[in-house]
Amino acid sequence: MIDLRLLREDPDRVRASQRARGEDVELVDSLLAADERRRSSGVRFDELRSEQKGLGKLIGKATGDEKAELLKRASQLAADVKAADAERDAADAETQALLARLGNLVHPDVPVGGEEDFVTLETHGTIRDFAAEGFEPLDHLELGQRLGAIDVERGAKVSGSRFYFLTGVGALLELALVNAAIAQATAAGFTPMLTPALVRPQAMGGTGFLGQAAQDVYHLDKDDLYLVGTSEVALAGYHMDEILDADRLPLRYAGFSPCFRREAGSHGKDTRGIFRVHQFDKVEMFSYVLPEDSAAEHQRLLEWEKQWLTSLELPFRVIDVASGDLGSSAARKFDCEAWIPTQGKYRELTSTSDCTEFQSRRLSIRVREGKQVRPLATLNGTLCAVPRTIVAILENHQQADGSVRVPQVLRPYLGGREILEPVAK
């Protein structure tokens, strides 16, 4: 959530942010009105309580008719205090509910618009010319089946559509990717973390995933627990309700977990193969920093993602995501999109978001600097979303005979293997 003081001091900035997101601008005025009711009812409650305390002292000294009159006033005052308390609580609850619906303030440099209004910042690597090499590239599913690496038919049989098995070298390839990603993150100073896949509502809501993203979340009604769509949720919740000393920052964690997404609204999109699935594994970077350091940390997370994709020898581009496609927690987001040959376009492989103080305010995570205590900033960045990375590796490193060349960085984790060979049927 944003700072209410900022809302009061510069409501036009908040309105502009909501407008850029394509969200409800009138929410700002509703929130301002609720906040005014909350503050005025709080003042009235304090005044009545003060009068009530003063009256109590007078009653102790009064006698006769005066005391009777004071007791009558005390009775009325008790009812007024109770009503003012209820009014204050109702106004506070309304304010918090409206505040929870408000997205983070969009960074002024973010391009305004929808999903297709991003700005390309960089392009890396060379897109292969398969025609010049003399063969038509196969898609990742055909390659995965020939390698004995991917089985979507039995995935669907066991669990339904958008589920899959990674088999044989496919399973080994996932383990190689995860180990290589964790090795890079550890070398960069991240603490490796294996995180829970089930979290409480406070953690899921605190990270902003129960707003516009709620339709993609799996909920276990009986236990009131949520399956995470990213280990960002658990890593953000790791320090909730804590005050961290400034000299401990930055704190950087690399979480590995299964991720679960309903993929609501994606009917008919990416139905072939394992590009868009309901369950996958991911290595996620997460940082806690001072608010004034968040922009620099955002660039560092992006550099680590670029380092990773470069080590996998993938052609990719970096985009500055447009305001309407940010997600409620992010003030700014950069995506790295790898070239997928058989689709003839770039597709998202990694994403890094600067959430500024939005999540820390919701999760009550603060930093202590001397006598000052204030919210800190949180940032997240995908290092390796396994299925999509496998898609990009298979398609970009395939060879004419249906084999796939293994990037150098993964070979130590695959027993030195340089080529993935098709298996005999």
Side-chain angles (χ1 to χ4, degrees), residues 2 14 17-18 21 27 99-105 328-329 358:
I2 69 167
V14 184
S17 178
Q18 284 290 97
R21 287 180 172 278
L27 177 61
L99 189 58
R101 290 171 51 195
L102 200 65
N104 200 355
L105 290 179
S328 64
S329 296
F358 186 84

Side-chain angles (χ1 to χ4, degrees), residues 177-197:
L177 283 165
V178 171
N179 278 287
I182 290 292
Q184 178 190 303
T186 303
F190 286 80
T191 300
M193 304 275 277
L194 297 178
T195 63

Side-chain angles (χ1 to χ4, degrees), residues 175-344:
L175 296 173
L177 283 165
V178 171
N179 278 287
I182 290 292
Q184 178 190 303
T186 303
F190 286 80
T191 300
M193 304 275 277
L194 297 178
T195 63
L198 287 166
V199 298
R200 291 176 171 175
Q202 182 185 1
M204 187 64 82
T207 44
F209 286 98
L210 294 184
Q212 61 185 193
Q215 62 177 352
D216 266 339
V217 175
Y218 286 99
H219 182 230
L220 280 65
D221 292 322
K222 186 175 180 180
D223 305 287
D224 197 19
L225 293 171
Y226 291 90
L227 285 166
V228 298
T230 166
S231 59
E232 170 195 344
V233 177
L235 293 172
Y238 188 64
H239 287 297
M240 66 182 174
D241 300 320
E242 294 182 23
I243 299 175
L244 306 174
D245 289 328
D247 58 10
R248 294 183 62 191
L249 303 182
L251 284 172
R252 298 187 178 111
Y253 300 118
F256 173 67
S257 78
C259 306
F260 303 87
R261 300 183 183 180
R262 289 187 180 277
E263 292 295 344
S266 66
H267 179 74
K269 296 179 181 178
D270 301 308
T271 55
R272 180 172 168 81
I274 62 170
F275 190 85
R276 190 184 299 273
V277 291
H278 289 308
Q279 178 184 341
F280 60 96
D281 295 325
K282 180 159 68 89
V283 177
E284 181 82 2
M285 300 179 289
F286 196 89
S287 299
Y288 294 87
V289 303
L290 294 173
E292 55 269 27
D293 296 335
S294 71
E297 183 72 2
H298 200 196
Q299 290 295 329
R300 281 189 284 268
L301 289 171
L302 177 59
E303 289 301 317
W304 282 313
E305 291 178 345
K306 289 159 57 180
Q307 176 189 338
W308 171 246
L309 296 179
T310 299
S311 74
L312 295 176
E313 304 166 44
L314 296 173
F316 67 96
R317 70 180 180 186
V318 179
I319 67 168
D320 199 348
V321 176
S323 56
D325 198 31
L326 284 177
S328 64
S329 296
R332 194 175 194 183
K333 180 165 69 169
F334 302 122
D335 283 356
C336 291
E337 300 181 328
W339 180 257
I340 307 299
T342 61
Q343 296 186 21

Side-chain angles (χ1 to χ4, degrees), residues 124-130 133 135-140 143-144 147 173 177 307-316 338-342 349 388-411 414 417-422:
H124 298 265
T126 302
I127 295 173
R128 286 174 64 185
D129 185 346
F130 286 96
E133 295 181 34
F135 73 100
E136 184 78 18
L138 301 175
D139 76 1
H140 74 277
L143 288 163
L147 295 171
L173 184 55
L177 283 165
Q307 176 189 338
W308 171 246
L309 296 179
T310 299
S311 74
L312 295 176
E313 304 166 44
L314 296 173
F316 67 96
W339 180 257
I340 307 299
T342 61
L349 247 62
R388 290 192 176 194
T389 307
I390 289 177
V391 169
I393 287 173
L394 295 185
E395 293 210 11
N396 282 284
H397 296 317
Q398 65 180 293
Q399 302 185 102
D401 62 358
S403 63
V404 174
R405 185 178 63 83
V406 177
Q408 184 70 41
V409 70
L410 297 180
R411 292 176 187 177
L414 284 167
R417 192 177 316 197
E418 298 180 9
I419 300 292
L420 306 181
E421 301 281 359

Side-chain angles (χ1 to χ4, degrees), residues 17-95:
S17 178
Q18 284 290 97
R19 193 175 296 112
R21 287 180 172 278
E23 299 291 336
D24 182 10
V25 178
E26 292 182 1
L27 177 61
V28 176
D29 293 311
S30 298
L31 181 52
L32 284 169
D35 180 49
E36 176 56 34
R37 287 194 296 274
R38 179 184 68 88
R39 289 191 294 156
S40 61
S41 61
V43 169
R44 173 163 171 73
F45 173 80
D46 291 340
E47 290 173 346
L48 289 170
R49 280 288 293 143
S50 178
E51 184 182 349
Q52 191 178 44
K53 290 178 182 178
L55 193 62
K57 294 178 182 178
L58 293 175
I59 290 172
K61 299 176 182 178
T63 59
D65 292 344
E66 182 187 5
K67 185 169 186 176
E69 191 64 32
L70 289 174
L71 286 171
K72 181 179 178 182
R73 172 59 184 152
S75 177
Q76 180 60 49
L77 200 55
D80 291 344
V81 167
K82 184 177 180 180
D85 189 26
E87 183 181 351
R88 182 188 61 173
D89 288 347
D92 184 62
E94 182 185 5
T95 300

Side-chain angles (χ1 to χ4, degrees), residues 150-152 155 162-166 174 274 277 279-281 387:
I150 302 172
D151 192 333
V152 294
R162 298 189 191 274
F163 287 93
Y164 60 96
F165 284 88
L166 291 181
E174 159 151 350
I274 62 170
V277 291
Q279 178 184 341
F280 60 96
D281 295 325

